[in-house]
Amino acid sequence: MSGLLQLISVLVLLSEMLWLMLEMNRASIKYMLGMLGRSLGSPFLTFDTAARTSRVTPDLVTAAPNAAVSERELLSSSIKCNPRILYLPFFSKEVDSTTWSNEDRKTWEACREALSAFNFNAEEKDKILGKAFGNVHSPYWGEQRKQEVPKFEVVCETLDYLRSLGLSDDDLFKLLKSSPEVLGCSLEHDLKTNVKILEKDWGIKGKSLQKLLLRNPKALGYNVDCKGDCIAQCTRCWARF
């Protein structure tokens, strides 16, 4: 009798394992369709915070035997079974990262870290980077901004330059909150060139420059001057100044 019960227990366990494998495959397919834009918050997930990336490690062993396994937990299990999927930063729904490589994801996560000094939450960081580098629609660029994954060095250099103008981290918080596109402007061709124009042609320097940049940060990205004869690039035209 005890042998029969053991056999039944083994068969039940095998059937549950087969069901779990099928659900894991279904979750993997959903991942490929781009469902990782949603949060993977789960009591069965732990994160490698030291690596500053969302490296997912499911711990289903500690779950109650009869507990219902959620779709998110199954998805995390399927990720573990695929060694090619290593880094999974949580992206805002506005940022389509489904075609990115692992290297792209790591680069994006590093750029997020560059914004950590300003106390933005993860969604705000994604929105700022997305608008700055064409991954989230912004009228500021018109149709000329191609989508790209920002480079960590570029983001840091731009932030350092803005600090060199006398802007504090509180100032930069306000600037990036209102005009995130500034972060995606060319440091050499836009920001530095326009600061020189403001200083040389308009005599705006020091504290006056800082106040201007907080009041109208988009001026840092101006790159055309229609001189009153509109060329339909108004968001980046000096005529607005």
Side-chain angles (χ1 to χ4, degrees), residues 20 23-28 31 36 38-47 54-60 69-83 85 88 90:
L20 182 59
E23 290 297 316
M24 286 164 54
N25 289 334
R26 179 170 68 87
S28 295
Y31 168 76
L36 278 183
R38 301 184 307 173
S39 170
L40 297 179
S42 165
F44 304 110
L45 300 181
T46 57
F47 300 92
S54 303
R55 189 168 297 180
V56 183
T57 307
D59 183 11
L60 299 179
V69 182
S70 71
E71 181 178 284
R72 290 179 178 179
E73 293 149 18
L74 291 169
L75 178 55
S76 66
S77 297
S78 68
I79 291 170
K80 185 180 181 182
C81 294
N82 187 347
I85 302 174
L88 299 171
F90 297 136

Side-chain angles (χ1 to χ4, degrees), residues 154 170 224 240:
V154 171
D170 287 341
V224 296
R240 295 171 62 91

Side-chain angles (χ1 to χ4, degrees), residues 96-112:
D96 182 7
S97 62
T98 54
T99 61
W100 290 1
S101 66
N102 285 327
E103 192 63 32
D104 291 337
R105 294 172 185 274
K106 288 190 288 184
T107 301
W108 186 276
E109 181 70 4
C111 291
R112 270 180 168 183

Side-chain angles (χ1 to χ4, degrees), residues 125-176:
K125 291 177 184 178
D126 282 345
K127 194 168 185 178
I128 289 169
L129 292 170
K131 285 192 172 184
F133 295 93
N135 296 283
V136 174
H137 174 69
S138 171
Y140 184 75
W141 303 115
E143 297 180 359
Q144 60 182 315
R145 189 67 165 94
K146 68 176 183 178
Q147 295 184 10
E148 64 176 307
V149 177
K151 292 181 173 59
F152 175 74
E153 295 78 9
V154 171
V155 171
C156 289
E157 287 175 2
T158 298
L159 293 174
D160 287 343
Y161 176 69
L162 292 173
R163 288 187 177 103
S164 75
L165 299 177
L167 297 175
S168 66
D169 283 356
D170 287 341
D171 293 334
L172 290 179
F173 174 87
K174 298 173 185 177
L175 185 151
L176 294 174

Side-chain angles (χ1 to χ4, degrees), residues 52 92 95 108-109 111-131 180 183:
R52 308 303 299 182
S92 164
V95 178
W108 186 276
E109 181 70 4
C111 291
R112 270 180 168 183
E113 287 302 304
L115 299 178
S116 294
F118 312 112
N119 295 321
F120 293 116
N121 61 39
E123 187 172 354
E124 289 173 325
K125 291 177 184 178
D126 282 345
K127 194 168 185 178
I128 289 169
L129 292 170
K131 285 192 172 184
L183 197 60

